[in-house]
Amino acid sequence: MSDLWDDLENFARAPSSSTAAPGERGTIKAKANFNVSEDVTALHKAIEGIGTTEKTLIDILTHRSSSQKQAISKAYEETTKRGAGTDTNILIEILASRTNKQIKELSAAYAEETKKTLMQKLQTEVSGDFGKAILLLAEGARDESTNVNADKAREDAKALYHAGEKKLGTDESKFIEILCKRSIPHLRQTILEYKNISGKTLQKSIEKEISGDLEELLVAIVKCVMSTPAYFAEKLYKSMKGAGTDETTLTRVMVSRGELDMLDIRAEFKKLYQCSLYKEINSDVCGSYSDCLKMICGGED
């Protein structure tokens, strides 16, 4: 499905949701007069009662902002002692798509929750070139300047070309340095320049030259540079197409982007797949789970 990423000009002109304020392009808003203990009690009753009262779950979880849901989750966990794990795909999705500010907030929340910094934890979990790239992203130190110097972008595009396509073997460190540190506007220009120099997209070159987790991560960064909403639209589409539904990914993306850029994801979904996200959810999943996701989706396009 990577062909949808070949239309670079379309993405270069698209607005970047990384500049939108939370709530601005989302479908979920914060609840006024929020009472965490009231919600926890209602959820606890709904989940632990005889038969889950789905309506309560849907109503509470689709009408609270992310920070409100986190407060509920923390209080709920303290009440019931339930935990959660993580994996490489989630690590890639989160660190490739979040802004510096979001990564710093995530790190602070992680440290408060686990009494360990995110960097300390990651150092024990990841290694090699993939580890270097993940740690660079986790610092939340990507250049944030909005000025684009076309000459510098061309230089970076040439450096990437010579580190991969033009070289016997691949200099992964050059890809990591440029893709994990440069600003989003600069990288957008670099991606356009790369196509002019090499005749193929940077994504295709990465897929040919690099493998494994590092390939996955760098491709995710390139996609998010071009369009974070399109990256998530594709993720949602893939979670519903194929053998069975990947409910974990579907739920995580819908919930995590509900407040940020769901309106943009919906627009990209319609443009890429000629079908509304709402319709796709409706035909792919059913019952209360479907009702919940459609509520987060926020409407038909």
Side-chain angles (χ1 to χ4, degrees):
M1 207 53 224
S2 72
D3 294 345
L4 66 92
W5 292 99
D6 290 348
D7 185 5
L8 301 184
E9 273 70 22
N10 169 40
F11 288 121
R13 288 191 301 273
S16 167
S17 67
S18 59
T19 57
E24 205 179 294
R25 303 292 301 152
T27 49
I28 297 177
K29 309 290 178 200
K31 181 188 188 289
N33 315 318
F34 170 62
N35 181 325
V36 70
S37 56
E38 221 170 71
D39 281 352
V40 169
T41 308
L43 285 173
H44 195 57
K45 272 187 196 155
I47 294 166
E48 307 296 332
I50 300 168
T52 301
T53 321
E54 281 92 352
K55 194 179 176 315
T56 307
L57 292 178
I58 293 169
D59 196 48
I60 291 176
L61 297 175
T62 60
H63 291 89
R64 303 295 183 272
S65 71
S66 173
S67 57
Q68 289 174 341
K69 282 198 288 273
Q70 282 164 20
I72 293 168
S73 173
K74 199 163 190 277
Y76 188 88
E77 225 166 280
E78 278 160 13
T79 317
T80 61
K81 295 286 173 271
R82 303 216 167 173
T86 185
D87 67 17
T88 308
N89 289 334
I90 298 174
L91 213 50
I92 289 171
E93 178 191 304
I94 290 172
L95 291 175
S97 66
R98 281 8 179 218
T99 62
N100 285 350
K101 185 172 181 287
Q102 287 166 340
I103 289 170
K104 292 211 161 85
E105 284 168 358
L106 176 101
S107 301
Y110 187 89
E112 196 183 315
E113 189 75 29
T114 64
K115 307 291 172 259
K116 222 181 197 186
T117 71
L118 183 59
M119 295 296 279
Q120 284 170 332
K121 176 66 177 162
L122 287 171
Q123 275 158 353
T124 65
E125 297 281 323
V126 294
S127 59
D129 287 323
F130 174 68
K132 277 181 212 154
I134 283 286
L135 290 168
L136 257 184
L137 293 172
E139 281 176 26
R142 184 180 288 288
D143 176 21
E144 286 185 322
S145 83
T146 50
N147 298 332
V148 177
N149 180 321
D151 291 335
K152 283 194 173 143
R154 206 168 299 119
E155 264 170 46
D156 273 350
K158 272 186 195 151
L160 290 170
Y161 184 53
H162 288 288
E165 291 284 348
K166 285 289 277 184
K167 189 180 165 70
L168 192 62
T170 306
D171 178 5
E172 283 90 354
S173 64
K174 186 53 74 179
F175 281 83
I176 292 166
E177 183 200 336
I178 291 171
L179 290 171
C180 297
K181 285 183 171 179
R182 304 290 194 266
S183 74
I184 301 298
H186 173 90
L187 285 174
R188 277 185 166 192
Q189 187 63 33
T190 302
I191 288 166
L192 293 174
E193 298 289 350
Y194 187 88
K195 179 89 186 279
N196 294 336
I197 291 165
S198 78
K200 61 162 74 170
T201 65
L202 179 58
Q203 181 184 334
K204 290 254 162 65
S205 288
I206 291 168
E207 287 166 345
K208 175 174 167 264
E209 298 291 323
I210 297 168
S211 61
D213 289 337
L214 183 63
E215 177 201 339
E216 298 279 326
L217 176 63
L218 297 180
V219 165
I221 292 171
V222 167
K223 288 178 176 181
C224 287
V225 163
M226 294 200 287
S227 169
T228 305
Y231 169 71
F232 282 111
E234 184 186 39
K235 252 190 149 24
L236 288 170
Y237 181 79
K238 284 181 173 171
S239 76
M240 290 182 276
K241 284 290 162 213
T245 303
D246 175 0
E247 290 188 357
T248 313
T249 299
L250 181 57
T251 307
R252 186 180 63 252
V253 173
M254 291 299 292
V255 171
S256 68
R257 307 309 291 187
E259 255 181 287
L260 293 170
D261 52 3
M262 188 53 67
L263 297 173
D264 299 320
I265 291 170
R266 272 166 48 182
E268 286 298 335
F269 195 96
K270 185 82 187 271
K271 201 169 19 173
L272 297 172
Y273 305 109
Q274 286 74 57
C275 166
S276 76
L277 176 59
Y278 191 94
K279 259 207 185 82
E280 196 65 55
I281 291 168
N282 200 37
S283 65
D284 199 75
V285 292
C286 56
S288 302
Y289 178 55
S290 176
D291 293 342
C292 186
L293 293 184
K294 285 185 292 192
M295 194 85 85
I296 294 171
C297 181
E300 167 72 274
D301 294 299

